[in-house]
Amino acid sequence: MDAVTAAFAATPRRDFLPPGARAQEAYDGPLRIAAGQTNSQPATVEAMLRLLDVRAGQRVLDVGSGSGWTTALLAHLVGPAGSVLGVELEPELVAFGATNLARSDRPWASIRAAAPGVLGDPDGAPYDRVLVSAEPDELPEALVDQLGDDGVLVIPVAGTMLRVANPGRAVTEHGRYRFVPLR
């Protein structure tokens, strides 16, 4: 079993859904969680994680952590030698995601409130990997700048999934997707 498949097996989506949505955990589509946000489609999350190519021991930033599911998946991938920080703008989701994440018993991962008007975590940069689960109209340089020398950013921009890799900020396109707006 490869690392991404193992992360999904160890991190059931059901544990990151509101009680009323848990019966739909197997649905391969987005599910509403709160504050107008969604728990992303599993196939999309899998594709993004494969593009991100997370390795054990890395420092990862999860922008738009929502229910905490992606943060927990990333935490499984980096293992206890790594660290994951999830940032989320919606206070209700910060609490919901942090509670869900705490139950996953991965103390090397955390979720905190994003600072309004600040993308990501510039003070904590550089990061080895940055995953963004919300969609801007243009590639935000503020997030690209938070990548380390060999860093990778995966982000949906104007409907297209982009992978930005250092060195050289090489940008490749990987299919069409829809996400909530990045703000």
Side-chain angles (χ1 to χ4, degrees), residues 100-157:
N100 294 336
L101 180 63
R103 284 195 309 265
S104 75
D105 195 29
R106 296 171 189 163
W108 54 93
S110 62
I111 294 173
R112 69 167 170 74
V118 177
L119 287 178
D121 179 42
D123 293 341
Y127 286 93
D128 299 305
R129 299 290 187 265
V130 177
L131 179 69
V132 183
S133 297
E135 182 177 337
D137 293 328
E138 297 178 355
L139 181 62
E141 285 301 315
L143 290 174
V144 178
D145 290 344
Q146 293 174 46
L147 288 177
D149 292 341
D150 293 315
V152 174
L153 163 69
V154 172
I155 180 171
V157 177

Short mmCIF file of all heavy atoms in Angstrom, two decimals, residues 100-157:
data_model
loop_
_atom_site.label_atom_id
_atom_site.label_comp_id
_atom_site.label_asym_id
_atom_site.label_seq_id
_atom_site.Cartn_x
_atom_site.Cartn_y
_atom_site.Cartn_z
N ASN A 100 -11.72 17.64 15.73
CA ASN A 100 -11.58 16.42 14.92
C ASN A 100 -10.13 15.96 14.86
O ASN A 100 -9.84 14.77 15.01
CB ASN A 100 -12.10 16.66 13.50
CG ASN A 100 -13.59 16.91 13.46
OD1 ASN A 100 -14.32 16.50 14.35
ND2 ASN A 100 -14.04 17.58 12.41
N LEU A 101 -9.22 16.91 14.63
CA LEU A 101 -7.80 16.59 14.54
C LEU A 101 -7.29 16.00 15.85
O LEU A 101 -6.52 15.02 15.84
CB LEU A 101 -7.00 17.83 14.16
CG LEU A 101 -5.49 17.64 14.02
CD1 LEU A 101 -5.17 16.66 12.89
CD2 LEU A 101 -4.82 18.99 13.77
N ALA A 102 -7.71 16.55 16.98
CA ALA A 102 -7.26 16.06 18.28
C ALA A 102 -7.62 14.59 18.47
O ALA A 102 -6.84 13.82 19.05
CB ALA A 102 -7.85 16.91 19.40
N ARG A 103 -8.77 14.18 17.97
CA ARG A 103 -9.19 12.77 18.08
C ARG A 103 -8.32 11.84 17.23
O ARG A 103 -8.31 10.63 17.45
CB ARG A 103 -10.66 12.62 17.68
CG ARG A 103 -11.63 13.10 18.74
CD ARG A 103 -13.05 12.61 18.48
NE ARG A 103 -13.53 12.88 17.13
CZ ARG A 103 -14.25 13.94 16.77
NH1 ARG A 103 -14.62 14.83 17.66
NH2 ARG A 103 -14.63 14.10 15.52
N SER A 104 -7.62 12.39 16.23
CA SER A 104 -6.79 11.54 15.37
C SER A 104 -5.46 11.18 16.02
O SER A 104 -4.70 10.39 15.48
CB SER A 104 -6.54 12.22 14.02
OG SER A 104 -5.59 13.28 14.15
N ASP A 105 -5.16 11.77 17.19
CA ASP A 105 -3.95 11.47 17.95
C ASP A 105 -2.69 11.67 17.12
O ASP A 105 -1.83 10.78 17.04
CB ASP A 105 -4.03 10.04 18.53
CG ASP A 105 -2.98 9.82 19.61
OD1 ASP A 105 -2.59 10.78 20.28
OD2 ASP A 105 -2.53 8.67 19.75
N ARG A 106 -2.59 12.83 16.51
CA ARG A 106 -1.40 13.22 15.75
C ARG A 106 -0.94 14.59 16.26
O ARG A 106 -1.16 15.60 15.61
CB ARG A 106 -1.70 13.24 14.25
CG ARG A 106 -2.06 11.82 13.77
CD ARG A 106 -2.58 11.75 12.36
NE ARG A 106 -3.07 10.39 12.15
CZ ARG A 106 -3.88 10.04 11.17
NH1 ARG A 106 -4.30 10.94 10.30
NH2 ARG A 106 -4.27 8.80 11.06
N PRO A 107 -0.32 14.61 17.46
CA PRO A 107 0.00 15.88 18.11
C PRO A 107 1.02 16.74 17.37
O PRO A 107 1.23 17.89 17.75
CB PRO A 107 0.51 15.45 19.49
CG PRO A 107 0.97 14.04 19.33
CD PRO A 107 0.09 13.44 18.26
N TRP A 108 1.63 16.23 16.34
CA TRP A 108 2.55 17.01 15.53
C TRP A 108 1.81 17.87 14.50
O TRP A 108 2.43 18.55 13.69
CB TRP A 108 3.59 16.12 14.87
CG TRP A 108 3.00 14.99 14.07
CD1 TRP A 108 2.71 15.02 12.73
CD2 TRP A 108 2.62 13.69 14.52
NE1 TRP A 108 2.17 13.81 12.34
CE2 TRP A 108 2.11 12.98 13.43
CE3 TRP A 108 2.67 13.06 15.77
CZ2 TRP A 108 1.65 11.68 13.53
CZ3 TRP A 108 2.21 11.76 15.87
CH2 TRP A 108 1.71 11.09 14.76
N ALA A 109 0.49 17.84 14.56
CA ALA A 109 -0.34 18.67 13.67
C ALA A 109 -1.24 19.55 14.51
O ALA A 109 -1.66 19.15 15.61
CB ALA A 109 -1.18 17.79 12.76
N SER A 110 -1.52 20.74 14.01
CA SER A 110 -2.41 21.65 14.72
C SER A 110 -3.18 22.51 13.72
O SER A 110 -2.79 22.62 12.55
CB SER A 110 -1.62 22.55 15.67
OG SER A 110 -0.71 23.36 14.93
N ILE A 111 -4.26 23.09 14.19
CA ILE A 111 -5.08 23.99 13.39
C ILE A 111 -5.26 25.27 14.19
O ILE A 111 -5.53 25.22 15.40
CB ILE A 111 -6.45 23.37 13.06
CG1 ILE A 111 -6.28 22.17 12.14
CG2 ILE A 111 -7.39 24.41 12.43
CD1 ILE A 111 -7.56 21.38 11.89
N ARG A 112 -5.09 26.39 13.53
CA ARG A 112 -5.33 27.67 14.20
C ARG A 112 -6.05 28.62 13.25
O ARG A 112 -6.11 28.39 12.04
CB ARG A 112 -4.03 28.27 14.71
CG ARG A 112 -3.08 28.76 13.63
CD ARG A 112 -1.99 29.61 14.25
NE ARG A 112 -0.92 29.92 13.36
CZ ARG A 112 -0.98 30.80 12.36
NH1 ARG A 112 -2.09 31.43 12.07
NH2 ARG A 112 0.08 31.03 11.61
N ALA A 113 -6.56 29.68 13.82
CA ALA A 113 -7.27 30.69 13.03
C ALA A 113 -6.28 31.42 12.13
O ALA A 113 -5.19 31.81 12.56
CB ALA A 113 -7.96 31.68 13.95
N ALA A 114 -6.67 31.56 10.87
CA ALA A 114 -5.86 32.35 9.93
C ALA A 114 -6.05 33.83 10.27
O ALA A 114 -7.14 34.25 10.66
CB ALA A 114 -6.31 32.08 8.50
N ALA A 115 -5.00 34.59 10.11
CA ALA A 115 -5.11 36.04 10.32
C ALA A 115 -5.82 36.65 9.12
O ALA A 115 -5.43 36.40 7.97
CB ALA A 115 -3.72 36.65 10.48
N PRO A 116 -6.89 37.42 9.36
CA PRO A 116 -7.60 38.05 8.24
C PRO A 116 -6.63 38.90 7.39
O PRO A 116 -5.81 39.63 7.93
CB PRO A 116 -8.64 38.93 8.92
CG PRO A 116 -8.85 38.30 10.27
CD PRO A 116 -7.50 37.75 10.66
N GLY A 117 -6.72 38.71 6.08
CA GLY A 117 -5.88 39.47 5.16
C GLY A 117 -4.48 38.91 4.99
O GLY A 117 -3.67 39.46 4.23
N VAL A 118 -4.15 37.82 5.69
CA VAL A 118 -2.83 37.20 5.57
C VAL A 118 -3.01 35.80 5.00
O VAL A 118 -3.72 34.98 5.58
CB VAL A 118 -2.12 37.11 6.94
CG1 VAL A 118 -0.78 36.39 6.81
CG2 VAL A 118 -1.93 38.50 7.54
N LEU A 119 -2.37 35.53 3.87
CA LEU A 119 -2.45 34.20 3.27
C LEU A 119 -1.39 33.28 3.86
O LEU A 119 -0.21 33.63 3.90
CB LEU A 119 -2.27 34.28 1.75
CG LEU A 119 -3.44 34.86 0.96
CD1 LEU A 119 -3.08 34.91 -0.53
CD2 LEU A 119 -4.70 34.03 1.16
N GLY A 120 -1.83 32.13 4.31
CA GLY A 120 -0.89 31.14 4.82
C GLY A 120 -0.32 31.50 6.17
O GLY A 120 -1.02 32.00 7.05
N ASP A 121 0.99 31.30 6.31
CA ASP A 121 1.70 31.54 7.56
C ASP A 121 3.09 32.07 7.25
O ASP A 121 4.09 31.36 7.40
CB ASP A 121 1.78 30.24 8.38
CG ASP A 121 2.54 30.42 9.68
OD1 ASP A 121 2.34 31.44 10.36
OD2 ASP A 121 3.34 29.52 10.01
N PRO A 122 3.18 33.33 6.76
CA PRO A 122 4.49 33.84 6.37
C PRO A 122 5.52 33.83 7.50
O PRO A 122 6.71 33.63 7.26
CB PRO A 122 4.21 35.27 5.88
CG PRO A 122 2.83 35.59 6.30
CD PRO A 122 2.12 34.30 6.54
N ASP A 123 5.07 34.01 8.75
CA ASP A 123 6.00 34.03 9.87
C ASP A 123 6.60 32.65 10.16
O ASP A 123 7.68 32.56 10.73
CB ASP A 123 5.32 34.57 11.14
CG ASP A 123 4.95 36.04 11.02
OD1 ASP A 123 5.52 36.74 10.15
OD2 ASP A 123 4.08 36.49 11.78
N GLY A 124 5.90 31.60 9.78
CA GLY A 124 6.40 30.25 10.00
C GLY A 124 7.17 29.68 8.82
O GLY A 124 7.71 28.58 8.91
N ALA A 125 7.20 30.39 7.71
CA ALA A 125 7.87 29.92 6.50
C ALA A 125 9.38 29.87 6.73
O ALA A 125 9.89 30.56 7.61
CB ALA A 125 7.52 30.84 5.33
N PRO A 126 10.07 29.04 5.94
CA PRO A 126 9.59 28.31 4.77
C PRO A 126 9.01 26.94 5.12
O PRO A 126 9.35 26.35 6.13
CB PRO A 126 10.87 28.15 3.93
CG PRO A 126 11.96 28.05 4.95
CD PRO A 126 11.54 28.95 6.10
N TYR A 127 8.13 26.48 4.23
CA TYR A 127 7.51 25.16 4.34
C TYR A 127 8.00 24.26 3.21
O TYR A 127 8.25 24.74 2.10
CB TYR A 127 5.99 25.27 4.29
CG TYR A 127 5.42 25.82 5.57
CD1 TYR A 127 5.18 27.18 5.72
CD2 TYR A 127 5.13 24.99 6.64
CE1 TYR A 127 4.67 27.70 6.90
CE2 TYR A 127 4.63 25.49 7.83
CZ TYR A 127 4.40 26.84 7.96
OH TYR A 127 3.91 27.34 9.14
N ASP A 128 8.07 22.96 3.51
CA ASP A 128 8.44 21.98 2.48
C ASP A 128 7.29 21.76 1.51
O ASP A 128 7.51 21.54 0.32
CB ASP A 128 8.81 20.63 3.12
CG ASP A 128 10.01 20.75 4.05
OD1 ASP A 128 11.06 21.23 3.59
OD2 ASP A 128 9.87 20.37 5.23
N ARG A 129 6.06 21.80 2.03
CA ARG A 129 4.88 21.58 1.22
C ARG A 129 3.77 22.53 1.67
O ARG A 129 3.62 22.77 2.88
CB ARG A 129 4.36 20.13 1.35
CG ARG A 129 5.35 19.06 0.90
CD ARG A 129 5.56 19.09 -0.60
NE ARG A 129 6.36 18.01 -1.08
CZ ARG A 129 7.69 18.06 -1.29
NH1 ARG A 129 8.35 19.16 -1.00
NH2 ARG A 129 8.33 17.02 -1.79
N VAL A 130 3.00 23.04 0.70
CA VAL A 130 1.85 23.88 1.00
C VAL A 130 0.67 23.35 0.18
O VAL A 130 0.76 23.25 -1.05
CB VAL A 130 2.11 25.37 0.67
CG1 VAL A 130 0.85 26.20 0.93
CG2 VAL A 130 3.30 25.91 1.47
N LEU A 131 -0.42 23.02 0.88
CA LEU A 131 -1.64 22.56 0.24
C LEU A 131 -2.71 23.62 0.45
O LEU A 131 -2.91 24.08 1.57
CB LEU A 131 -2.11 21.24 0.87
CG LEU A 131 -3.41 20.65 0.31
CD1 LEU A 131 -3.21 20.16 -1.11
CD2 LEU A 131 -3.90 19.51 1.20
N VAL A 132 -3.38 24.02 -0.64
CA VAL A 132 -4.42 25.04 -0.55
C VAL A 132 -5.74 24.46 -1.04
O VAL A 132 -5.83 24.01 -2.18
CB VAL A 132 -4.04 26.30 -1.37
CG1 VAL A 132 -5.11 27.37 -1.20
CG2 VAL A 132 -2.66 26.82 -0.96
N SER A 133 -6.75 24.48 -0.16
CA SER A 133 -8.05 23.91 -0.48
C SER A 133 -9.10 24.99 -0.68
O SER A 133 -10.23 24.89 -0.21
CB SER A 133 -8.48 22.93 0.61
OG SER A 133 -7.58 21.85 0.67
N ALA A 134 -8.71 26.05 -1.36
CA ALA A 134 -9.61 27.14 -1.74
C ALA A 134 -9.02 27.77 -2.99
O ALA A 134 -7.81 27.65 -3.24
CB ALA A 134 -9.75 28.16 -0.62
N GLU A 135 -9.86 28.43 -3.77
CA GLU A 135 -9.45 28.83 -5.12
C GLU A 135 -9.35 30.34 -5.32
O GLU A 135 -10.35 31.05 -5.24
CB GLU A 135 -10.49 28.26 -6.09
CG GLU A 135 -10.21 28.54 -7.52
CD GLU A 135 -11.24 27.89 -8.44
OE1 GLU A 135 -11.87 26.91 -8.02
OE2 GLU A 135 -11.39 28.38 -9.55
N PRO A 136 -8.13 30.84 -5.60
CA PRO A 136 -7.98 32.23 -6.00
C PRO A 136 -8.12 32.37 -7.52
O PRO A 136 -8.08 31.38 -8.25
CB PRO A 136 -6.54 32.55 -5.57
CG PRO A 136 -5.83 31.24 -5.76
CD PRO A 136 -6.85 30.17 -5.43
N ASP A 137 -8.25 33.61 -7.97
CA ASP A 137 -8.31 33.88 -9.42
C ASP A 137 -6.93 33.87 -10.06
O ASP A 137 -6.79 33.62 -11.25
CB ASP A 137 -8.98 35.23 -9.69
CG ASP A 137 -10.44 35.23 -9.30
OD1 ASP A 137 -11.08 34.16 -9.40
OD2 ASP A 137 -10.95 36.29 -8.88
N GLU A 138 -5.90 34.17 -9.25
CA GLU A 138 -4.52 34.20 -9.73
C GLU A 138 -3.63 33.52 -8.71
O GLU A 138 -3.96 33.49 -7.51
CB GLU A 138 -4.04 35.64 -9.92
CG GLU A 138 -4.82 36.41 -10.95
CD GLU A 138 -4.35 37.87 -11.07
OE1 GLU A 138 -3.48 38.30 -10.27
OE2 GLU A 138 -4.86 38.57 -11.94
N LEU A 139 -2.49 33.01 -9.16
CA LEU A 139 -1.55 32.36 -8.26
C LEU A 139 -1.03 33.39 -7.25
O LEU A 139 -0.42 34.38 -7.64
CB LEU A 139 -0.39 31.75 -9.04
CG LEU A 139 0.68 31.03 -8.24
CD1 LEU A 139 0.09 29.83 -7.51
CD2 LEU A 139 1.82 30.59 -9.14
N PRO A 140 -1.27 33.18 -5.95
CA PRO A 140 -0.84 34.15 -4.95
C PRO A 140 0.67 34.04 -4.66
O PRO A 140 1.13 33.04 -4.10
CB PRO A 140 -1.65 33.81 -3.70
CG PRO A 140 -2.45 32.60 -4.02
CD PRO A 140 -2.07 32.11 -5.37
N GLU A 141 1.41 35.06 -5.01
CA GLU A 141 2.85 35.08 -4.76
C GLU A 141 3.14 34.94 -3.26
O GLU A 141 4.16 34.38 -2.89
CB GLU A 141 3.49 36.35 -5.32
CG GLU A 141 3.63 36.32 -6.84
CD GLU A 141 4.48 35.16 -7.35
OE1 GLU A 141 5.57 34.88 -6.77
OE2 GLU A 141 4.06 34.51 -8.33
N ALA A 142 2.24 35.46 -2.42
CA ALA A 142 2.44 35.38 -0.97
C ALA A 142 2.57 33.92 -0.52
O ALA A 142 3.32 33.63 0.43
CB ALA A 142 1.30 36.06 -0.23
N LEU A 143 1.87 33.00 -1.17
CA LEU A 143 1.98 31.58 -0.81
C LEU A 143 3.20 30.94 -1.46
O LEU A 143 3.89 30.13 -0.84
CB LEU A 143 0.70 30.82 -1.19
CG LEU A 143 -0.52 31.16 -0.33
CD1 LEU A 143 -1.76 30.47 -0.88
CD2 LEU A 143 -0.30 30.78 1.12
N VAL A 144 3.49 31.31 -2.70
CA VAL A 144 4.68 30.79 -3.37
C VAL A 144 5.93 31.16 -2.56
O VAL A 144 6.85 30.36 -2.40
CB VAL A 144 4.78 31.31 -4.82
CG1 VAL A 144 6.06 30.81 -5.48
CG2 VAL A 144 3.56 30.88 -5.63
N ASP A 145 5.92 32.38 -2.01
CA ASP A 145 7.06 32.87 -1.23
C ASP A 145 7.26 32.08 0.06
O ASP A 145 8.33 32.19 0.68
CB ASP A 145 6.89 34.35 -0.89
CG ASP A 145 7.03 35.25 -2.11
OD1 ASP A 145 7.55 34.78 -3.15
OD2 ASP A 145 6.61 36.42 -2.01
N GLN A 146 6.28 31.31 0.50
CA GLN A 146 6.39 30.54 1.74
C GLN A 146 6.99 29.15 1.53
O GLN A 146 7.16 28.39 2.47
CB GLN A 146 5.02 30.46 2.42
CG GLN A 146 4.57 31.82 2.91
CD GLN A 146 3.17 31.83 3.47
OE1 GLN A 146 2.80 30.96 4.25
NE2 GLN A 146 2.38 32.83 3.08
N LEU A 147 7.36 28.86 0.26
CA LEU A 147 7.97 27.56 -0.04
C LEU A 147 9.47 27.57 0.25
O LEU A 147 10.16 28.56 -0.03
CB LEU A 147 7.80 27.22 -1.53
CG LEU A 147 6.42 26.83 -1.99
CD1 LEU A 147 6.42 26.61 -3.50
CD2 LEU A 147 5.92 25.59 -1.26
N GLY A 148 9.96 26.44 0.74
CA GLY A 148 11.39 26.26 0.93
C GLY A 148 12.08 26.02 -0.41
O GLY A 148 11.44 25.99 -1.48
N ASP A 149 13.39 25.82 -0.36
CA ASP A 149 14.20 25.66 -1.57
C ASP A 149 13.75 24.50 -2.46
O ASP A 149 13.84 24.58 -3.67
CB ASP A 149 15.67 25.46 -1.20
CG ASP A 149 16.28 26.71 -0.61
OD1 ASP A 149 15.71 27.81 -0.80
OD2 ASP A 149 17.32 26.60 0.08
N ASP A 150 13.28 23.41 -1.85
CA ASP A 150 12.78 22.26 -2.61
C ASP A 150 11.28 22.08 -2.36
O ASP A 150 10.76 20.96 -2.44
CB ASP A 150 13.52 20.98 -2.22
CG ASP A 150 14.98 21.03 -2.66
OD1 ASP A 150 15.24 21.44 -3.80
OD2 ASP A 150 15.86 20.68 -1.83
N GLY A 151 10.58 23.18 -2.08
CA GLY A 151 9.19 23.13 -1.72
C GLY A 151 8.25 22.90 -2.88
O GLY A 151 8.59 23.14 -4.05
N VAL A 152 7.04 22.44 -2.55
CA VAL A 152 5.98 22.21 -3.55
C VAL A 152 4.69 22.81 -2.99
O VAL A 152 4.35 22.61 -1.83
CB VAL A 152 5.78 20.70 -3.83
CG1 VAL A 152 4.58 20.48 -4.75
CG2 VAL A 152 7.03 20.09 -4.43
N LEU A 153 3.98 23.54 -3.85
CA LEU A 153 2.68 24.12 -3.56
C LEU A 153 1.67 23.52 -4.51
O LEU A 153 1.91 23.46 -5.72
CB LEU A 153 2.73 25.64 -3.75
CG LEU A 153 1.42 26.42 -3.88
CD1 LEU A 153 0.65 26.43 -2.56
CD2 LEU A 153 1.70 27.85 -4.33
N VAL A 154 0.54 23.04 -3.99
CA VAL A 154 -0.56 22.56 -4.82
C VAL A 154 -1.77 23.43 -4.50
O VAL A 154 -2.17 23.55 -3.34
CB VAL A 154 -0.86 21.06 -4.58
CG1 VAL A 154 -2.12 20.63 -5.32
CG2 VAL A 154 0.33 20.21 -5.03
N ILE A 155 -2.34 24.03 -5.57
CA ILE A 155 -3.40 25.02 -5.38
C ILE A 155 -4.29 25.07 -6.62
O ILE A 155 -3.79 25.09 -7.74
CB ILE A 155 -2.79 26.41 -5.08
CG1 ILE A 155 -3.87 27.48 -4.88
CG2 ILE A 155 -1.80 26.83 -6.17
CD1 ILE A 155 -3.32 28.81 -4.38
N PRO A 156 -5.62 25.12 -6.43
CA PRO A 156 -6.50 25.33 -7.59
C PRO A 156 -6.58 26.83 -7.88
O PRO A 156 -6.89 27.63 -7.00
CB PRO A 156 -7.86 24.80 -7.08
CG PRO A 156 -7.82 25.01 -5.60
CD PRO A 156 -6.38 24.90 -5.19
N VAL A 157 -6.24 27.21 -9.11
CA VAL A 157 -6.26 28.62 -9.51
C VAL A 157 -7.17 28.78 -10.72
O VAL A 157 -6.94 28.15 -11.76
CB VAL A 157 -4.84 29.13 -9.83
CG1 VAL A 157 -4.89 30.58 -10.32
CG2 VAL A 157 -3.93 29.02 -8.61
#
